[in-house]
Amino acid sequence: MAPSFLLLLCALTLSSTASAALVKHTFHVGHLAVKPLCKEQVVVAVNEKLPGPTIRVHEGDTLVVDLYNDSPYDISIHWHGIFQLLSGWADGPSYVTQCPIRPGNKYSYKFNITGQEGTLWWHAHFSVLRATVYGALIIYPRDSVSYPFPKPYGEVPILLGEWWDANVVDVENEALASGGAPNNSDAYTINGKPGRLYSCARETFKLKVTPGKTYLLRIINAALNNQLFFKIAGHNFTVVGADAAYTNPYCTDVVVTAPGQTTDVLLTADQTPASYYMAAHPYISAPIAPFDNTTTVGIIQYEHASSSEPIMPVMPVFTDTPTAHKFYSNLTGLSSSRGYKPILQSVDERMFIAFGLGLDQCPPNANCGGPSNTRLTANMNNISFQFPSRLSLLQAHFSGVNGIFTDDFPDNPPIVYDYTNATVAAAFLASQKGTRLKRLAYNSTVEIVLQNTAVLTTENHPIHLHGFNFFILAQGFGNFNRETDEQKFNLVNAQERNTIGVPVGGWAVIRFKANNPGVWLLHCHLDIHLPLGLATAFVVENGPSSSSILPPPPSDLPLC
């Protein structure tokens, strides 16, 4: 019996070990000539693919990505939504956790996937290169674990992107030089293809489905500057996940997603066998901003269906804030799922962050592209964030280097005013510039009121927190009023996210536990707003034991 017992023990050990693998990828970042619309463009891409490679891992795996920068630009990669527990050096935002990887150089990202399942993504975090440098990052449950919903017949990543018939780096540089807004995109894309509604469009994404079968669509908004409505003609969705956190099943015929967000939905092919368009177009909340008002389409094609013209969904109007808010505010967390932790009831740190756009004076004898010859800027609590250039924030924190940042980011705006009243807010156009961070004690519970302002215009801003998920306790319109709005807090099954669309002219309250030592960026995920200063960062202190202390940087960490 002893040999049999030993064989069983060996088998169990191997099974346990096999559930956590070492997954390796190689990324070659270089030029790629593509022609999705009328003109051929040379873009930066990974492994000559647009979108880039899909990474598939299981919870518990260790991921290693060797990146070779064969492009003419500096670059870094952010693993959007990955916690990076004690691996903050691999988070990726340039000048925050690392300096960018110079042309001709290499860096190896290595980190463990801990306590997460679902859909995330990766993208460049330098300049606007994420317009074409992005891809899906899918985290499956461990081999012996099932989804908390019926297993789908198939799974399909749906990456929604944005396309310029121009060099996007030139587009950004022109905007930064003038101080105005960048040119609008020329198209939206589904899995890199704009779809047949655009003139000159060469390709349309197609998905064949079997009648009666259910598919898991992993929807990722990889656009730079636009939130998007997504629909499939004649079909409903059941939302089962958002930002790699399970949700209570939520039935809807439209998905709304902000740049940086992911949404997992179940789609059942339960309609008459035919062809149906899937479509995406922008949700626009800023009333004064011009935008790309086009629509990208893909095709759902039933097996054995005739080749008739696909049926087009009726899309929401571009400014349909009630539909967007209904979707965002009706999602709740699946509190019975793996990894869902009870919402912390007590709070150690409370912050009120008022944020939005503003204006700077134009330098003497210069012509600027903002309103009335000004320059656009952005801020949080009247601080327009400035990225360092000679050392990353994490390196400065870890090595105790002074002069890179200060840790005096204010917990509240300098002045309390009627934040969403455009007439009143117009008096607060100017802001201070600085690299000011907020220091947090290890394991402290942090609650933040995110308050949109009408200083220049109100807008639904997607705010992303690196290194953590947060609970969305409540969200609404107007000015946050703790006396009345705190009664709306969901402290039972609030949804978890890493990116939230703060309602236009409104507020949201988030809460998280600062249990991950390092430096973590909090910023708007509209690419136009990050270089304008709509950001800050948290310094989370080390914990009391060796298992809660940030280790030294890897030896090949890029230097500035």
Side-chain angles (χ1 to χ4, degrees), residues 229-248:
F229 290 115
F230 178 82
K231 293 188 72 172
I232 297 177
H235 292 73
N236 291 327
F237 307 113
T238 301
V239 179
V240 293
D243 290 2
Y246 294 115
T247 65
N248 283 303

Side-chain angles (χ1 to χ4, degrees), residues 32 101 212 216 256 284 300 341 356 365 375 393 550:
L32 174 67
I101 305 162
L216 177 62
V256 192
I284 297 298
I300 298 286
K341 296 178 175 59
N365 303 317
R375 297 180 62 87
L393 297 174
L550 181 71

